[in-house]
Amino acid sequence: MYSGLRLIDKKSMSITESIIEYKDPEIVYIPLVNHSNMECQSLVEIGDKVLKGTVIGKRNDNIEMNIHSSVSGEVIGFEEKLYLSGEYVKCVVIQNDFKEKQAELTGVKDKITSYTKDKFIQILKDCAVTGMGGSDFPTYLKYIGKLKTIIINAVECEPYITSDFLVAILKTEEILEAIDAIMEINEIDEGIIAIRETDYQLKDKFETFLGTYPNIKLVLVKDLYPIGWEKLLIKELLGIKYDKNPMEKGIVVNNISTIFAIYKALKTKRPISRRIVTITGEKIKKPQNVIIKIGTPIVEVIKEIGGYKDETDIRFIAGGPMKGETLPNDNLIVTKNLYAVVAISSSCFSSPITCVRCGRCSNVCPNYLSPVLIRDRKKHFNILKSLHPEKCIECGLCSYICPSKIDVRESVIEAKKEIRRH
Ligand code: SF4
Ligand code: SF4
């Protein structure tokens, strides 16, 4: 059975004794983007006054998902800014008045288990809870229908990244309270928190509090990549396969930072306005995790924490080194789904040489694709279609393993786009 590869870890680099909060920026740039909807509709105009939590945009299709302001202040324009996908997207530009005035004053709810399922789904919509592990997928869509198992994905199997670990360590009790409430509201019988077997500190922390929650169990999974991928994780934990979506089998999987966002939504009925981002890599002077306001240009934060060791030869990646996107520069905006940025030396990536037909890229692919064949058949659409590049999860293992240093993943992603265009 496929289980993945053990990769270099490099996580200790960004774990520091305390976590800092970046001072609020003077200007925030809120991308009008949600998941695959790259052109959400703006609901504000230049000169409009907004509060923290004001709805400033929404999706332009039939999925209900709003975009909120993370500060109070005034809309001063619209600008294209770099998003974690590597694309430039339209953003609402807001001048921060630093008053932090809230759009809604709802108070804090003590007992979050008492919501009905309909109300729960409405809160997820109103607070725009989305996948914080990178996807930005609207979370409420995962809770429609009957569910029997919830899996909390705290595996964070990609090297260098520690933002989920930090959330789990710092907010253990809140996370357990949220899982308990989600299970009660949705009549879910089984709750599983999945962590890596080498995350000893996290294991101890959860075990300290789990006694109060008999329906939630902690399961340790092998420290292999990409074990945190939904399909592989469900297979590993439950021995269950699904076709398109875990909901087919009554299973919901949420990343642990998303669970914390659900907790905040249930407690305060407010959208999150900040998130933890891992800023790391050999080129960063002081790698660490930072709490950052949504809409902040990351370059401001990198400067604030000490900057780069040297400014030459940097490969700047949004997300992790395996699944992330290499960006042309560091003018990236912090969004709900930006969990990390990694700055490493470009010289780690030597120039590709000729493919030696070793087949290793096919052997490591978790979705049993043939990356090398997809790369060869890029121009032959019918053959390409039969090789199913659309099933690629962009894990990066094919490029990682390639002895000829070919970026096979990039070719498969291009093929994927080609299939979509037809
Ligand atoms: S083809 Fe896609 S899914 Fe397969 S190893 Fe490469 S990046 Fe991963
Ligand atoms: S791993 Fe690299 S060298 Fe080997 S078949 Fe795949 S692309 Fe060719």
Side-chain angles (χ1 to χ4, degrees):
M1 190 184 106
Y2 182 90
S3 49
L5 282 190
R6 188 173 293 270
L7 306 180
I8 42 146
D9 186 74
K10 305 226 175 183
K11 285 182 186 281
S12 57
M13 192 187 274
S14 58
I15 297 177
T16 47
E17 288 205 345
S18 58
I19 178 161
I20 67 155
E21 212 166 308
Y22 178 65
K23 65 177 174 32
D24 284 356
E26 298 209 348
I27 292 175
V28 294
Y29 302 84
I30 310 287
L32 288 162
V33 168
N34 169 245
H35 186 54
S36 55
N37 195 313
M38 302 300 284
E39 290 178 358
C40 293
Q41 185 189 340
S42 167
L43 300 176
V44 287
E45 290 174 5
I46 294 174
D48 283 355
K49 301 278 188 245
V50 293
L51 301 173
K52 190 173 160 184
T54 295
V55 176
I56 57 170
K58 64 171 190 174
R59 282 184 68 121
N60 60 7
D61 57 12
N62 55 3
I63 294 175
E64 293 175 59
M65 192 46 58
N66 292 332
I67 294 164
H68 298 94
S69 174
S70 59
V71 297
S72 59
E74 183 179 333
V75 176
I76 56 167
F78 297 89
E79 264 181 53
E80 298 230 319
K81 288 279 176 186
L82 192 57
Y83 181 61
L84 55 77
S85 63
E87 290 155 272
Y88 279 85
V89 298
K90 188 174 171 186
C91 297
V92 180
V93 187
I94 303 169
Q95 176 83 52
N96 190 358
D97 66 9
F98 297 99
K99 291 182 182 155
E100 291 283 295
K101 281 193 185 162
Q102 296 279 351
E104 301 267 345
L105 290 172
T106 50
V108 175
K109 189 165 173 79
D110 284 340
K111 201 167 170 346
I112 58 173
T113 48
S114 58
Y115 291 113
T116 61
K117 174 145 181 161
D118 285 349
K119 184 68 187 166
F120 170 77
I121 287 183
Q122 193 56 49
I123 292 173
L124 297 189
K125 286 181 190 171
D126 292 346
C127 297
V129 179
T130 58
M132 294 184 67
S135 75
D136 203 23
F137 182 78
T139 302
Y140 81 89
L141 293 172
K142 294 188 170 191
Y143 283 91
I144 293 167
K146 177 80 188 128
L147 297 165
K148 55 182 188 203
T149 304
I150 177 167
I151 295 172
I152 293 82
N153 187 349
V155 172
E156 205 170 44
C157 55
E158 215 174 344
Y160 286 90
I161 317 300
T162 51
S163 50
D164 278 351
F165 168 80
L166 258 296
V167 173
I169 282 283
L170 297 174
K171 303 292 177 188
T172 317
E173 289 167 85
E174 291 87 340
I175 283 163
L176 289 170
E177 191 182 338
I179 301 167
D180 183 52
I182 294 168
M183 289 175 71
E184 189 158 336
I185 295 164
N186 292 277
E187 297 176 349
I188 295 173
D189 303 325
E190 185 183 30
I192 301 171
I193 302 171
I195 65 169
R196 291 178 307 138
E197 60 189 357
T198 48
D199 260 338
Y200 308 111
Q201 201 185 341
L202 206 51
K203 176 176 176 285
D204 290 348
K205 187 77 194 285
F206 272 119
E207 282 177 350
T208 308
F209 296 100
L210 262 175
T212 342
Y213 300 99
N215 294 337
I216 306 173
K217 64 178 177 189
L218 185 69
V219 178
L220 310 183
V221 297
K222 291 183 209 103
D223 189 3
L224 299 172
Y225 179 83
I227 196 88
W229 172 41
E230 208 164 78
K231 214 166 201 167
L232 206 53
L233 191 61
I234 291 175
K235 184 85 197 311
E236 180 80 14
L237 296 173
L238 304 169
I240 290 176
K241 284 187 186 171
Y242 62 85
D243 182 22
K244 291 200 172 94
N245 190 316
M247 275 167 63
E248 293 159 18
K249 305 284 180 184
I251 302 166
V252 56
V253 184
N254 283 141
N255 159 276
I256 198 146
S257 293
T258 311
I259 293 287
F260 184 62
I262 296 177
Y263 171 82
K264 297 273 274 188
L266 297 180
K267 272 279 178 197
T268 64
K269 297 207 201 115
R270 286 184 191 145
I272 58 155
S273 62
R274 298 163 197 264
R275 72 151 299 148
I276 296 183
V277 183
T278 305
I279 301 176
T280 189
E282 283 76 6
K283 285 282 182 179
I284 299 283
K285 229 181 232 167
K286 292 181 188 155
Q288 59 195 281
N289 283 278
V290 186
I291 301 172
I292 312 173
K293 185 78 92 175
I294 308 295
T296 305
I298 195 83
V299 67
E300 281 184 20
V301 190
I302 293 174
K303 265 189 207 139
E304 179 77 14
I305 64 167
Y308 297 108
K309 280 185 187 153
D310 66 88
E311 301 265 345
T312 54
D313 185 33
I314 296 177
R315 179 178 276 223
F316 188 82
I317 305 166
M322 299 297 290
K323 279 186 78 100
E325 196 63 41
T326 298
L327 301 184
N329 56 60
D330 56 7
N331 286 316
L332 172 72
I333 298 303
V334 173
T335 45
K336 278 189 289 185
N337 52 342
L338 181 75
Y339 53 90
V341 292
V342 182
I344 45 182
S345 171
S346 320
S347 54
C348 303
F349 301 85
S350 40
S351 306
I353 54 170
T354 314
C355 170
V356 293
R357 318 305 291 180
C358 65
R360 287 192 207 173
C361 52
S362 305
N363 294 342
V364 293
C365 179
N367 236 351
Y368 306 104
L369 302 178
S370 293
V372 62
L373 294 185
I374 294 173
R375 178 173 178 267
D376 290 351
R377 305 293 189 283
K378 267 193 313 201
K379 293 195 168 58
H380 303 90
F381 185 72
N382 285 335
I383 305 176
L384 194 61
K385 227 172 131 190
S386 67
L387 295 168
H388 296 291
E390 75 285 356
K391 288 189 178 170
C392 169
I393 58 158
E394 302 180 15
C395 70
L397 274 180
C398 47
S399 300
Y400 176 85
I401 205 77
C402 177
S404 299
K405 304 292 172 206
I406 298 168
D407 193 351
V408 208
R409 180 186 96 131
E410 199 49 46
S411 299
V412 181
I413 293 174
E414 273 173 37
K416 212 169 152 178
K417 288 183 187 158
E418 186 62 26
I419 296 282
R420 270 198 219 120
R421 275 195 290 269
H422 271 73

